Structure formats: C-alpha cells, structure tokens
Amino acid sequence: MRAVLTAVLAMLTLLATGTTSADAASSQSSLPGGKANFVITQGFLRAGSTQNWVRLGTYQFKANGTVSANTYLWWQRNPEGRQATGVVPDSSCSTKAGNSKSRVRACDVLTAAGFKGSPDESRTGTYTMAGNVVSIRWKIAQTWTEKWRVQLSPDRKLARLDFASSTLATNGYGYGSNAPLTTRRAMSSVRAFAGTLKQDLVSWAGNRIVKSDGQVFKQSSFRNCATTTWCLTYLQPSSPGACQKSGGCPNFGGGTRKNVSSIQYYLTKISNTDRRDTMWHWCTCLAMESKQFCYSGNSHIKPLLQIIDDKGAFRGWVGAEASFYPGARSKDMMAVFRVSDFR
C-alpha cells in the first residue's frame, strides 16, 4: 500500500509541475549546498590604497546554472555621507538627558547613504559546482569571476560561503538557505537568540588592514524598545581600547580626569519586506568634545543583512562598514564582516 501511495504522489507531482520528485531533488542538489537565496558581503580592501570598496547584497541561484545579484556599493572613488533612518529610540531604551550611564542618547539612527533605497546594482551570471566549490562568472563588461567554498551547517538548514578568490574583490562572507529573501525576524527575536554569535571582520582604516576573528556579539545586552520595537539599544559602559584620550577625546575620553570611554550602540530595522538592518555606534566622549548631543562626526555606520535559515530562524548578519570622512580618504573606515553562530 505504501509503494502504491508513493507512486500516486509521484504521478501527481509530475502532472502538476512537469517534474518528478527525483528531478526536484536533483535540481536542488545542483544549487550551492542545496540553497537558492544568499546574503553576501564582499570588498576590495588593500593596505595603502584609497580605491577601496565594499558591496552588500543578495545572490539568487537557479538550478539551470544561472545566478542574479542585487547589491549596494560604497566606494572611496565616490564617498558618500551618512543618511538618517528616521528611527529615534523611545524613552524606554534611550534618554534625552545625555548624562545617563545606562541608556543611549535619543538620536536619529544613521546608516550608509543609499541603504534605505533600492540596491545600486543588478547583474546576472552563470555558475558551476565542482565538489564543494561554486564558481561564478558575471556577465558584465569586465572580467569578474568569483570562487566560494560551500559548507553546510550541522543541522543542514544553512549554507556558508567561504571566500576563495575573485578577480575584483579581496575578501567576503556569505550565507544562504531556501527561505525567501523577504523573510526576516523582528528585533525581539534577534535579542532573544539563544545561540552564541561571533564576529569575523576584515577592516581598512588609516591605510592599514586589520583582521579580527571570534569576537562575541552580546545581543542579549541590548535593550528592547517598548514603542519603537524595531530598534535595540546598548550603552557599553566602558571600552578598554576605544574612546581614549589618544583617540580624539583629549578632554573627556578614557585616560583623562573625566574618563568617559562609553560607546553608544543602536541596532534597527531598515525594511519590513527584506533582510535589511543597520548598526550605528560612536564614542560618547566624541559628542562631548564637539559639544553635541547626537554625534555628527565620523561615527561607525554598518549596513546589515539578516542571515535566515531554512526554517526562517535568525542566525546572524553579514555586514559592511562604509564610514567616509569628509575630505580625507585616509580617515575613512571600511570593512566586511559576519556575525553568526555558524562560522
């Protein structure tokens, strides 16, 4: 009886879709890790160069060997300012007083210019799989090829792309699943994530490259906002290396009599219909030096895309930093990074 039912179901699948269940399984297995929808960050980051760029976006693979990309681009050739998101955290998770040691300042969260709008670029290409390596060739005027090693998570709900090589980029991270790219998780779910998220990062600043792996991201330290529920905030009370007297805070920073080395962190949703989030952070002492309540200088802006697995669960972010300094490329801060429980 079970064999008969299986045969009937297979016939119904064939009549409805024109493919057998075996065909469907074969098509899925030809995708990288059996996954179709990926979030990607990659960059050209080279010491001594001021032609660096970062891209953040999505790749969609089809079983017929084609791939499409939609990406945001931030490039030192065309430095852009910061953009207000229009999100100001409410009084449950921020303060208007400015002297709190537990709540961030009530400021309009900033992100990278253009990230609130549609992606800057769309392109198509072809891909091939050889073992666990996916090779992509983009159909653009110049030669652009990429290779990524594909790894499946232990629960097989998520695929990770480990950057291998590219004719244009130097570094990158990627994650994919079969969840639609319209699937995202609320900030309450982000904060409640029970796993351990760790950050791996490649950054460019001051003409130098810095790599950092395994930094724990403490999402549970953030506050949920009661009214602006799409925002999380965290006032890190002190920092051992940042926000120091030698780092631009001669009057108020760590190492001075005032000894203010706290950091203002904001994490907010950009879109209801896709994976976009953003993070903004800056040293409290910098605003104090500038006699500002909300710092308007060279703060860190980090657009993010949520990593979502096959079951629709939040698993972290891929992100890019595109913090351009007015008129001085050597003071820009650029990075590509991932924050995930699967590294």
Side-chain angles (χ1 to χ4, degrees), residues 284-298:
T284 307
C285 64
L286 289 172
M288 297 168 69
E289 298 284 347
S290 304
K291 296 181 173 57
Q292 296 177 333
F293 184 74
C294 297
Y295 185 52
S296 63
N298 201 29

Side-chain angles (χ1 to χ4, degrees), residues 173 175 196-202 211-218 337-343:
Y173 304 100
Y175 288 86
T196 300
L197 298 174
K198 292 185 178 180
Q199 176 181 271
D200 301 318
L201 171 145
V202 180
K211 296 183 179 181
S212 173
D213 292 335
Q215 183 178 358
V216 176
F217 184 86
K218 299 178 181 179
F337 58 93
R338 64 183 177 196
V339 178
S340 179
D341 67 333
F342 174 44
R343 307 165 41 256

Side-chain angles (χ1 to χ4, degrees), residues 83-89 105-111 266 280 282 294:
Q83 179 181 24
T85 62
V87 176
V88 178
R105 299 184 177 197
C107 300
D108 192 339
V109 178
L110 303 184
T111 190
Y266 306 79
W280 182 43
W282 41 277
C294 297

Side-chain angles (χ1 to χ4, degrees), residues 254-320:
T256 68
R257 188 167 59 85
K258 294 288 186 180
N259 200 35
V260 178
S261 63
S262 61
I263 303 178
Q264 312 268 335
Y265 278 96
Y266 306 79
L267 181 58
T268 190
K269 174 185 70 177
I270 293 294
S271 171
N272 288 319
T273 58
D274 57 46
R275 307 280 186 87
R276 282 176 293 165
D277 292 336
T278 199
M279 183 181 292
W280 182 43
H281 60 91
W282 41 277
C283 293
T284 307
C285 64
L286 289 172
M288 297 168 69
E289 298 284 347
S290 304
K291 296 181 173 57
Q292 296 177 333
F293 184 74
C294 297
Y295 185 52
S296 63
N298 201 29
S299 55
H300 293 269
I301 46 173
K302 298 179 177 179
L304 307 168
L305 293 176
Q306 288 189 356
I307 301 167
I308 302 294
D309 69 18
D310 283 345
K311 296 296 185 181
F314 171 80
R315 302 288 292 272
W317 298 275
V318 295

Side-chain angles (χ1 to χ4, degrees), residues 3-314:
V4 172
L5 287 173
T6 300
V8 170
L9 288 172
M11 181 60 71
L12 289 173
T13 299
L14 178 59
L15 290 171
T17 66
T19 61
T20 66
S21 57
D23 290 334
S26 177
S27 294
Q28 190 178 63
S29 66
S30 68
L31 298 168
K35 313 301 183 186
N37 302 319
F38 285 75
V39 290
I40 300 288
T41 182
Q42 62 177 311
F44 174 85
L45 300 171
R46 185 164 290 170
S49 174
T50 54
Q51 299 295 309
N52 298 287
W53 55 259
V54 291
R55 281 179 164 92
L56 180 67
T58 60
Y59 287 2
Q60 290 185 279
F61 294 88
K62 293 184 178 180
N64 64 3
T66 62
V67 58
S68 60
N70 290 285
T71 52
Y72 295 87
L73 168 64
W74 296 281
W75 200 349
Q76 284 184 304
R77 285 188 184 180
N78 183 32
E80 300 174 273
R82 291 152 179 79
Q83 179 181 24
T85 62
V87 176
V88 178
D90 65 69
S91 60
S92 71
C93 56
S94 69
T95 178
K96 293 183 178 180
N99 57 0
S100 170
K101 294 185 178 180
S102 63
R103 298 187 184 188
V104 302
R105 299 184 177 197
C107 300
D108 192 339
V109 178
L110 303 184
T111 190
F115 194 53
K116 287 187 67 182
S118 300
D120 303 306
E121 309 168 314
S122 295
R123 60 188 179 276
T124 61
T126 58
Y127 76 94
T128 57
M129 291 294 304
N132 72 330
V133 176
V134 58
S135 299
I136 302 171
R137 179 176 291 273
W138 297 109
K139 295 179 180 179
I140 62 172
Q142 66 186 123
T143 300
W144 187 355
T145 60
E146 303 174 14
K147 288 187 178 181
W148 304 78
R149 295 183 182 88
V150 185
Q151 302 290 336
L152 274 177
S153 59
D155 60 13
R156 306 186 71 82
K157 296 175 184 177
L158 191 64
R160 188 184 75 223
L161 295 185
D162 295 335
F163 182 84
S165 65
S166 170
T167 54
L168 297 186
T170 58
N171 306 90
Y173 304 100
Y175 288 86
S177 71
N178 289 314
L181 291 170
T182 53
T183 301
R184 61 165 294 116
R185 293 275 71 84
M187 283 298 154
S188 56
S189 297
V190 170
R191 187 183 182 279
F193 180 72
T196 300
L197 298 174
K198 292 185 178 180
Q199 176 181 271
D200 301 318
L201 171 145
V202 180
S203 68
W204 182 98
N207 294 316
R208 296 185 299 111
I209 298 295
V210 174
K211 296 183 179 181
S212 173
D213 292 335
Q215 183 178 358
V216 176
F217 184 86
K218 299 178 181 179
Q219 69 279 3
S220 61
S221 296
F222 282 71
R223 284 177 180 264
N224 281 318
C225 298
T227 304
T228 50
T229 56
W230 50 93
C231 187
L232 299 176
T233 65
Y234 170 47
L235 182 66
Q236 182 177 320
S238 62
S239 55
C243 314
Q244 302 298 303
K245 177 180 180 179
S246 59
C249 289
N251 297 308
F252 295 97
T256 68
R257 188 167 59 85
K258 294 288 186 180
N259 200 35
V260 178
S261 63
S262 61
I263 303 178
Q264 312 268 335
Y265 278 96
Y266 306 79
L267 181 58
T268 190
K269 174 185 70 177
I270 293 294
S271 171
N272 288 319
T273 58
D274 57 46
R275 307 280 186 87
R276 282 176 293 165
D277 292 336
T278 199
M279 183 181 292
W280 182 43
H281 60 91
W282 41 277
C283 293
T284 307
C285 64
L286 289 172
M288 297 168 69
E289 298 284 347
S290 304
K291 296 181 173 57
Q292 296 177 333
F293 184 74
C294 297
Y295 185 52
S296 63
N298 201 29
S299 55
H300 293 269
I301 46 173
K302 298 179 177 179
L304 307 168
L305 293 176
Q306 288 189 356
I307 301 167
I308 302 294
D309 69 18
D310 283 345
K311 296 296 185 181
F314 171 80

